[in-house]
Amino acid sequence: MRACLAIPFALAILAMPVANAQSDLRVSDDRHYLVTTEGKPFFWLGDTAWELFHRLNREEADTYLQRRVKQGFTVIQAVALAELAGLSVPNPYGELPLKNNDPAQPNDAYFRHVDYIIDRAAELGLHIGLLPTWGDKVFKNTWGAGPEIFTPASARVYGRWIGDRYRTRKNIIWILGGDRNPRPNTPDVEVWRAMAAGITEGVGDENKALLTFHPAPNRAGTGEWFQQDAWLDVNMFQTGHCRETNSYDNIRAAYDRLPTKPVLDGEPIYEDHPVCFNAKDLGTSSAYDVRKSAYLHLFAGAFGHTYGCHDIWQFYSPNREGVNGPRAFWQSALDLPGAAQMQFVRRLMESRPMLARVPDQTLIVESDLSSSERVQATRGSDYLFVYSAAGKAFTVRLGTISGAVLRASWFDPRSGKVESIGKIDNSGARLFTPPRTGYGQDWVLVLDDDARGYALP
């Protein structure tokens, strides 16, 4: 008999431990995770709010931040020099970020609004993944407004200025890049290295800047250019907005790269976004799309995950022209089902010792299925999780984690409910069949060393 248990929404949020936003974060001793200065694991549950500083006034920003806190998010990713005409269209208070488009002449009035949002986020327990600029200010390409304003010299000056401005804010994670891959045989790599050096100088040794880089889609993430750079603390991916990609393999490869750095997907498939597969239009992405991306990437070795919504990154509203066909104004898009379901993946990951968790496909006999039916496994020393993307049955090789007897249960990523299976011997191989199968019927098997007495997730 299966017992169905659920934690009420409000209680689930209250139960989530939130890292103190006034504490520094650092890379864990094993180099695969982020932890607070007290050594507590930090789960990155991000949202791509790229135009937050540029398009929202303070009241609107409060509405957005408070909703994301209630949904369990921990990191808000936003851009100081925004993508959507960020140098020529002022913020809601009529201010542009730079004078004469000069990185050496920031406009203090514009950045006072940025200050407010960063400080408000800190009050709410949120970290800001702060992009000093979108990548079109380095390389405009065909999908950016630009203009290209940065050289290595000006990037260092601006980096030093913005690092110094926010040196006392302990809730900042610095993100360079902004949807651009450095071009070969250009100064691009040196521009970003100079900006990183400037930020590090501005923040100061006593505060230790935590830096990563947001690339365009590629196979190696940020590590393609900066894996050996000491300033790069986290290897970030963008995996784009197509369905059924095998991004989990890229995540695992990055997890194994040396020197070891934590890895996560900083821009996966968005909810409510036009999607493609083999150049065919497949309609609009769903909660299932974003949910599957989160579980597959986390179980492949990511230490956290970023959610995104097409209506929210641009803060689509009645007085703005939408980019690439948004369907809902941002206020209503805050409550799309995929955003609400992100709290469940966070709750699952935090329910067991996170810092002991490793990816482990050897647990699964059916370890090489394609994305549509993918089965992905991760474990600690005394627990394991197996994600079945379409409810396909799978066989677990037992005996890897501790315990003579294991307690088994199914975790429902749609609702956060848990269905108990019972207890099993921790030996041999065993076939597990999820409660339901088919498209959109993803499930997580949870096996625990019964002697540990873990609460159901």
Side-chain angles (χ1 to χ4, degrees):
M1 178 182 294
R2 293 190 177 117
C4 185
L5 303 174
I7 299 176
F9 176 82
L11 293 180
I13 294 299
L14 289 174
M16 287 180 173
V18 177
N20 181 355
Q22 297 306 313
S23 295
D24 287 309
L25 297 176
R26 63 175 177 84
V27 177
S28 63
D29 292 341
D30 73 350
R31 313 298 298 173
H32 282 304
Y33 291 91
L34 293 186
V35 296
T36 67
T37 50
E38 296 81 15
K40 297 179 180 179
F42 176 78
F43 186 76
W44 178 311
L45 180 56
D47 188 24
T48 52
W50 302 130
E51 292 283 325
L52 174 63
F53 303 132
H54 183 216
R55 287 193 160 184
L56 296 196
N57 64 34
R58 294 183 179 187
E59 293 75 20
E60 291 169 331
D62 278 352
T63 296
Y64 165 76
L65 293 173
Q66 290 183 53
R67 188 71 189 120
R68 285 307 191 227
V69 167
K70 290 180 179 179
Q71 293 169 322
F73 287 83
T74 61
V75 179
I76 305 301
Q77 299 169 204
V79 190
L81 308 184
E83 175 187 12
L84 301 180
L87 299 185
S88 58
V89 174
N91 71 8
Y93 302 100
E95 302 291 347
L96 294 172
L98 303 177
K99 299 174 183 177
N100 304 315
N101 285 346
D102 184 354
Q105 298 185 66
N107 177 6
D108 184 72
Y110 177 93
F111 280 92
R112 285 200 297 270
H113 182 51
V114 177
D115 299 345
Y116 171 84
I117 294 175
I118 291 173
D119 291 342
R120 183 66 179 125
E123 291 172 2
L124 293 168
L126 289 167
H127 283 73
I128 294 291
L130 178 58
L131 285 79
T133 182
W134 200 247
D136 62 327
K137 289 24 171 207
V138 174
F139 169 39
K140 189 164 72 72
N141 210 329
T142 57
W143 71 92
E148 298 174 4
I149 61 171
F150 284 106
T151 65
S154 63
R156 190 159 192 154
V157 169
Y158 175 67
R160 186 183 302 115
W161 176 84
I162 199 169
D164 180 67
R165 186 178 186 95
Y166 296 117
R167 66 186 306 171
T168 62
R169 269 71 167 194
K170 304 301 183 185
N171 65 322
I172 289 179
I173 302 162
W174 297 94
I175 306 177
L176 304 185
D179 196 21
R180 290 298 185 277
N181 292 337
R183 298 163 294 172
N185 305 314
T186 74
D188 290 2
V189 165
E190 295 313 313
V191 167
W192 296 119
R193 284 179 171 147
M195 193 174 293
I199 290 169
T200 301
E201 292 164 4
V203 168
D205 292 339
E206 68 277 14
N207 295 312
K208 180 60 179 76
L210 186 69
L211 290 109
T212 184
F213 184 100
H214 169 246
N218 73 327
R219 291 188 59 83
T222 301
E224 181 171 333
W225 309 277
F226 304 115
Q227 188 77 19
Q228 305 301 319
D229 287 33
W231 63 264
L232 184 75
D233 296 300
V234 172
N235 188 351
M236 180 178 282
F237 279 83
Q238 177 193 164
T239 54
H241 306 289
C242 290
R243 285 193 179 114
E244 310 303 354
T245 62
N246 66 341
S247 305
Y248 39 82
D249 286 339
N250 297 336
I251 294 286
R252 178 56 199 265
Y255 179 93
D256 292 333
R257 287 177 76 111
L258 297 176
T260 303
K261 297 179 189 284
V263 59
L264 86 162
D265 192 338
E267 187 181 348
I269 188 170
Y270 286 167
E271 189 166 18
D272 222 25
H273 191 288
V275 294
C276 63
F277 180 60
N278 291 336
K280 296 179 181 178
D281 181 6
L282 293 181
T284 304
S285 56
S286 66
Y288 175 52
D289 290 315
V290 300
R291 200 170 64 233
K292 182 163 69 168
S293 175
Y295 285 91
L296 288 178
H297 293 177
L298 284 163
F299 285 22
F303 75 93
H305 188 74
T306 294
Y307 163 88
C309 173
H310 187 46
D311 313 304
I312 287 175
W313 74 263
Q314 59 187 287
F315 289 100
Y316 179 53
S317 60
N319 60 337
R320 296 192 185 279
E321 182 179 353
V323 176
N324 199 16
R327 302 197 308 167
F329 298 139
W330 70 267
Q331 294 91 338
S332 61
L334 283 171
D335 292 312
L336 286 172
Q341 290 165 1
M342 290 298 103
Q343 65 178 303
F344 305 138
V345 69
R346 178 183 169 192
R347 193 174 76 205
L348 177 67
M349 305 311 288
E350 290 182 331
S351 72
R352 302 293 182 268
M354 287 204 308
L355 302 184
R357 186 178 65 84
V358 297
D360 190 351
Q361 283 298 90
T362 67
L363 294 169
I364 308 301
V365 172
E366 303 83 357
S367 61
D368 60 351
L369 297 174
S370 65
S371 177
S372 62
E373 296 184 318
R374 185 72 177 178
V375 177
Q376 196 81 24
T378 187
R379 64 170 177 84
S381 62
D382 52 16
Y383 71 93
L384 67 83
F385 301 148
V386 182
Y387 178 73
S388 180
K392 185 180 179 66
F394 54 87
T395 305
V396 178
R397 297 183 177 100
L398 299 168
T400 299
I401 64 172
S402 66
V405 176
L406 303 181
R407 185 183 58 188
S409 55
W410 290 111
F411 182 85
D412 185 344
R414 291 162 294 280
S415 66
K417 294 180 180 179
V418 182
E419 299 185 13
S420 177
I421 298 172
K423 298 181 180 181
I424 63 171
D425 291 334
N426 187 17
S427 61
R430 184 183 179 104
L431 179 70
F432 290 89
T433 303
R436 289 176 293 280
T437 188
Y439 185 83
Q441 289 297 325
D442 49 334
W443 294 88
V444 179
L445 174 70
V446 180
L447 295 181
D448 293 313
D449 179 345
D450 187 54
R452 296 288 290 163
Y454 288 128
L456 291 175

